[in-house]
Amino acid sequence: MDRVLSLLEKNAKMSPADIAKSVRMPLAKVKKKIAAYEKDGTIVRYKAVLNRQLIEGDGEFVRALIEVKVSPEKNSGFDHIAERIYRFPEVKSCYLLSGSYDLQLTVEGKNIQTIAHFVSSKLAPLENVQSTVTHFMLTKYKEDGDILKRDEPSKRPKISY
Amino acid sequence: MKKSRYLPSALVDSLAPSGIRAFFDLVLTMDDVISLGVGEPDFSTPWAFSEAAIYAIEHGETSYTSNQGLLELRQEISKFLKARHKIRYSPETEILITVGVSEALDLALRAILNPGEELLIPEPCYVSYQPLTVLVGAVPVPVPLNARNGFSLRASDIKSRITDKTRGILLNYPSNPTGATISRSELAKIAELVKKHDLIVLSDEIYDELTYDKEHIAFPSLSDMKNRTIYLNGFSKAYAMTGWRIGYACGPSKIIAAMTKIHQYSMLCAPIMGQVAARQALREGAEAVAEMKAAYHSRRNFMVKELNRIGLKCPPTEGAFYVFPSIKKTGMNAVDFAMRLLEAEKVAVVPGVAFGKSGEGHIRMSYAADFDHLKEAIHRIERFIKKRK
C-alpha cells in the first residue's frame, strides 16, 4: 500500500506536511496524491473512532447483527437486493458472505423495539428476503482493528540505555 | 591496617560510575515527561508471541531447558539465519540461547579474552561494552568514531590501533546510540584487517532488522568471516520483546562450547517461557516485525527532517530507532543540554557522553515513541533552542 495511505489509515489527523516529512516526499506531491485518492473514492471519508460505550446517554443505544437469507436476482445477483437493504440509515455495515446465510448487517437503534420494528416492517417484508436471524450485541470489545478499552499507560522506564 | 572485608573487589571498584546517573535519577522522579530517552520499543510484544508463552505455562512448560536452550528454538534460528543472511549455523553445536545479547556478550568476552589482551571498541557505544571487558581483566581500546562520517566505522579508524596485544574487535551496527551502520565496502576492508591480523570479531547485530534504506549485511556472511566471528543477536528490539530477555550467540563450535561452559554455571539456561515466545516470533513474526519497522521508518524520516530544520545537525541515520544529532551549535555540552531541556521543557533525551567521550556534543533521541510525542518534543526543543539564543 502507498505509505501515504497507510499513515492516513492509522491517523486521519496527520497533516500533509507531517506525512511529507515521514515519507520523504515533497509536500505538493503528497497533497496531490491525497486529492486524487479523495476524488477516486479510495479515501471514502475521514472520521473519528469512538468508544460509544463511554458516551453518556449513548449507552442505551442498541446494536444487532442480523443474518439475512435472500434470493439473488437474475441479472444483478445479490447487488441489487443488498443495495435496497444497505441504503437504510439504520444499517451501519453490510457484507455478503459465503456460508449458511447471505448478508450480514450491523443495525443500530435507540432500543430493542426500534430494531425489532426495523426488521419486521422494513427488512423482512422485502420481496427477496427469505429469513432473518437477529443477534443483539452485548459488549463491543474490538472494532475494525481498534481495541476499545484504553491500554494502561506503559510501564517501561522513562529512560534507559 | 587490615582492609575491611565489606568492600567490593578492586576490579569492580575500578569501574567508573556512570557520569550521568544523577540525570537518569532526576528523569525517573519527574512526571509527565516526554521521553525520547528510552532504549526499547514503544510497542508491546505482538500478542501471538505472548500467547504462545501463556499457552506453554498453562501446559506445564515451566522447567529448565538444556543449557544451550530449546533445540527447536535453535533450529528456528538456524533456519532464519540461513534464509535471511545465507549463513549456516549448526543448531546442535554453533548456537547458544542466552539471557539477552547482554549475557551473550559477557559470555563471549569471558570465553575468549585473556588478561591484558586488547579489545577494540568503536565509540560512542552501548554502555556495557567497556565495563564488561574490564571485568574479564582485558583492556578496552576505544576507537573514536567521527561525526563527519555519521559515526559510521571506517577500517582506517581501527587500523592504527591494532597492536600485538589486540585480540579482537567489538562491532555494533546498526548502532545504539548513533543509529549508524557500516557500508559493504568498509565491512570488506574491516574483514581484510581481521584476516591479516588474525582477529576475532564480536558482532552485536541486535538492531539488524531495523534498517531503512539498505539491507543489513551480517558480518559472518562476509567471505571467510564466519569462523572468525561471534555473532550476537536476539529478540528484544525488532520483535519488541525486551522483557523476555532472550538473545543468542552463534559462532565456531569451540567458542560456543566455551561460552556454554560458563553459561551452564552462571545462568543454567534462559527462561523457558521467553524461549517459547521467541520460537513463536521466528515462526510467525515476520509480519508484525514489518509493521513495527514501517512505523519506525516514517518516524526516522520525520525526526531527521525536523531536527535539521530546527538547527540540530542530524545525518539520515540508517537504522535502529535512534538519532544522534549534534547540539554543538547551542554552545552547551551534552549533559547541560539534556539537563536544561528536561527542566525547561520536560523532554528527556540521553546525553551522548553516556556512550563514551566521543559522544560529547551529541544527544541520543529514541524515536521508539508515539508520533504525537515526537512532534510535541520537536516543538518544545525548537522553543528551548530559540529562547536560549
Side-chain angles (χ1 to χ4, degrees):
Chain A
M1 204 199 309
D2 185 344
R3 297 212 4 245
V4 173
L5 281 179
S6 54
L7 287 173
L8 277 175
E9 194 186 23
K10 286 206 171 69
N11 178 8
K13 265 174 79 179
M14 200 168 180
S15 70
D18 289 342
I19 293 172
K21 288 168 195 159
S22 299
V23 302
R24 294 209 279 196
M25 210 182 267
L27 176 58
K29 195 172 165 195
V30 169
K31 282 184 172 167
K32 215 170 132 187
K33 274 183 163 226
I34 295 175
Y37 286 132
E38 288 170 351
K39 202 174 162 205
D40 73 11
T42 306
I43 296 175
V44 179
R45 68 189 172 94
Y46 302 91
K47 66 171 205 174
V49 178
L50 305 181
N51 182 358
R52 303 187 69 147
Q53 287 151 146
L54 296 181
I55 300 171
E56 208 166 327
D58 199 80
E60 294 110 62
F61 249 83
V62 172
R63 287 166 196 88
L65 274 187
I66 304 181
E67 300 168 3
V68 190
K69 268 191 195 164
V70 297
S71 33
E73 290 170 346
K74 191 164 171 50
N75 291 316
S76 61
F78 290 99
D79 292 351
H80 181 236
I81 179 67
E83 183 166 3
R84 287 193 62 186
I85 294 172
Y86 68 63
R87 288 276 174 195
F88 286 113
E90 294 91 330
V91 176
K92 297 301 167 189
S93 71
C94 175
Y95 304 103
L96 174 65
L97 305 180
S98 63
S100 59
Y101 59 95
D102 305 303
L103 296 176
Q104 189 194 57
L105 318 179
T106 315
V107 172
E108 201 172 86
K110 279 198 182 67
N111 50 45
I112 291 183
Q113 282 71 31
T114 329
I115 290 180
H117 180 72
F118 170 79
V119 174
S120 62
S121 72
K122 292 176 177 162
L123 183 62
L126 286 172
E127 208 181 317
N128 300 54
V129 171
Q130 295 169 0
S131 67
T132 64
V133 177
T134 302
H135 307 271
F136 286 99
M137 282 187 204
L138 303 180
T139 303
K140 208 187 264 184
Y141 294 109
K142 186 177 184 181
E143 188 168 60
D144 244 354
D146 291 302
I147 293 172
L148 297 177
K149 185 178 74 173
R150 264 280 156 86
D151 274 342
E152 281 172 39
S154 162
K155 290 186 183 73
R156 65 178 187 162
K158 278 185 285 220
I159 196 156
S160 61
Y161 294 112
Chain B
M1 200 178 76
K2 204 174 154 199
K3 244 179 122 183
S4 166
R5 291 172 187 280
Y6 304 100
L7 285 173
S9 77
L11 193 56
V12 171
D13 215 31
S14 76
L15 294 179
S18 166
I20 62 163
R21 193 69 252 167
F23 172 71
F24 265 46
D25 289 344
L26 183 64
V27 175
L28 291 171
T29 61
M30 282 175 76
D31 289 327
D32 54 281
V33 169
I34 293 187
S35 179
L36 307 187
V38 184
E40 64 175 318
D42 58 317
F43 299 102
S44 303
T45 303
W47 184 248
F49 314 168
S50 298
E51 209 279 330
I54 295 168
Y55 183 88
I57 294 168
E58 284 177 340
H59 289 75
E61 279 192 70
T62 53
S63 58
Y64 293 132
T65 69
S66 77
N67 295 134
Q68 266 184 275
L70 291 175
L71 179 61
E72 281 181 315
L73 175 57
R74 284 180 276 140
Q75 284 165 339
E76 291 293 340
I77 290 169
S78 174
K79 238 165 61 183
F80 177 81
L81 292 175
K82 192 178 142 209
R84 191 100 176 85
H85 299 295
K86 304 195 170 56
I87 330 167
R88 284 166 195 273
Y89 283 113
S90 149
E92 284 79 20
T93 58
E94 294 179 319
I95 301 176
L96 170 65
I97 309 299
T98 59
V99 179
V101 170
S102 292
E103 194 218 353
L105 177 66
D106 186 31
L107 295 175
L109 295 169
R110 289 205 262 169
I112 60 166
L113 291 177
N114 295 298
E117 286 180 337
E118 293 175 355
L119 181 70
L120 301 176
I121 305 179
E123 195 204 273
C125 64
Y126 186 64
V127 292
S128 78
Y129 295 172
Q130 195 260 359
L132 288 181
T133 308
V134 170
L135 283 175
V136 301
V139 182
V141 176
V143 178
L145 295 170
N146 200 323
R148 277 201 308 274
N149 305 330
F151 292 104
S152 178
L153 177 67
R154 305 284 169 97
S156 53
D157 297 332
I158 48 178
K159 204 171 174 181
S160 58
R161 290 183 170 77
I162 297 174
T163 70
D164 51 3
K165 284 189 188 147
T166 307
R167 187 68 198 287
I169 175 162
L170 203 178
L171 300 178
N172 169 226
Y173 67 101
S175 150
N176 178 6
T178 68
T181 188
I182 308 174
S183 71
R184 182 179 281 282
S185 60
E186 284 303 319
L187 284 172
K189 286 185 209 162
I190 293 166
E192 279 308 308
L193 285 178
V194 167
K195 253 203 288 197
K196 187 175 163 199
H197 297 277
D198 199 21
L199 303 178
I200 188 160
V201 175
L202 284 74
S203 198
D204 174 355
E205 302 185 27
I206 182 71
Y207 291 97
D208 67 344
E209 290 290 304
L210 303 176
T211 59
Y212 308 111
D213 301 319
K214 289 176 200 146
E215 281 290 305
H216 178 83
I217 301 155
F219 201 82
S221 73
L222 299 168
S223 125
D224 287 341
M225 285 302 114
K226 194 195 143 193
N227 286 327
R228 298 171 183 274
T229 306
I230 308 177
Y231 173 81
L232 309 171
N233 210 328
F235 295 86
S236 292
K237 311 299 178 172
Y239 297 88
M241 292 178 64
T242 45
W244 300 87
R245 310 303 309 123
I246 301 296
Y248 56 89
C250 305
S253 56
K254 264 191 189 164
I255 290 181
I256 293 299
M259 288 170 66
T260 307
K261 218 192 271 180
I262 310 168
H263 173 77
Q264 71 180 341
Y265 297 131
S266 61
M267 200 61 68
L268 211 159
C269 68
I272 188 170
M273 303 82 182
Q275 294 193 55
V276 168
R279 183 179 68 192
Q280 184 67 21
L282 281 178
R283 284 179 181 166
E284 283 182 35
E287 208 173 305
V289 170
E291 198 173 313
M292 291 187 276
K293 181 176 160 176
Y296 294 136
H297 188 172
S298 310
R299 298 173 193 169
R300 190 278 312 252
N301 293 345
F302 178 81
M303 288 299 280
V304 169
K305 183 96 186 171
E306 286 294 82
L307 287 167
N308 284 303
R309 180 182 67 76
I310 66 175
L312 299 184
K313 203 172 151 212
C314 179
T317 36
E318 278 291 330
F321 36 63
Y322 306 110
V323 282
F324 202 65
S326 166
I327 47 117
K328 286 178 189 150
K329 266 177 78 178
T330 65
M332 284 174 267
N333 69 33
V335 172
D336 281 350
F337 182 95
M339 194 64 109
R340 287 177 195 170
L341 177 65
L342 180 69
E343 282 163 357
E345 296 286 356
K346 290 196 162 188
V347 174
V349 298
V350 181
V353 281
F355 308 96
K357 276 192 205 119
S358 43
E360 182 53 279
H362 292 259
I363 51 170
R364 188 194 75 175
M365 301 167 86
S366 163
Y367 47 87
D370 184 75
F371 178 78
D372 291 336
H373 284 157
L374 295 177
K375 210 178 156 178
E376 176 62 19
I378 290 285
H379 171 70
R380 293 187 190 185
I381 295 169
E382 185 176 17
R383 186 166 63 195
F384 172 72
I385 296 171
K386 274 189 184 151
K387 267 194 201 152
R388 300 194 56 87
K389 265 185 185 161

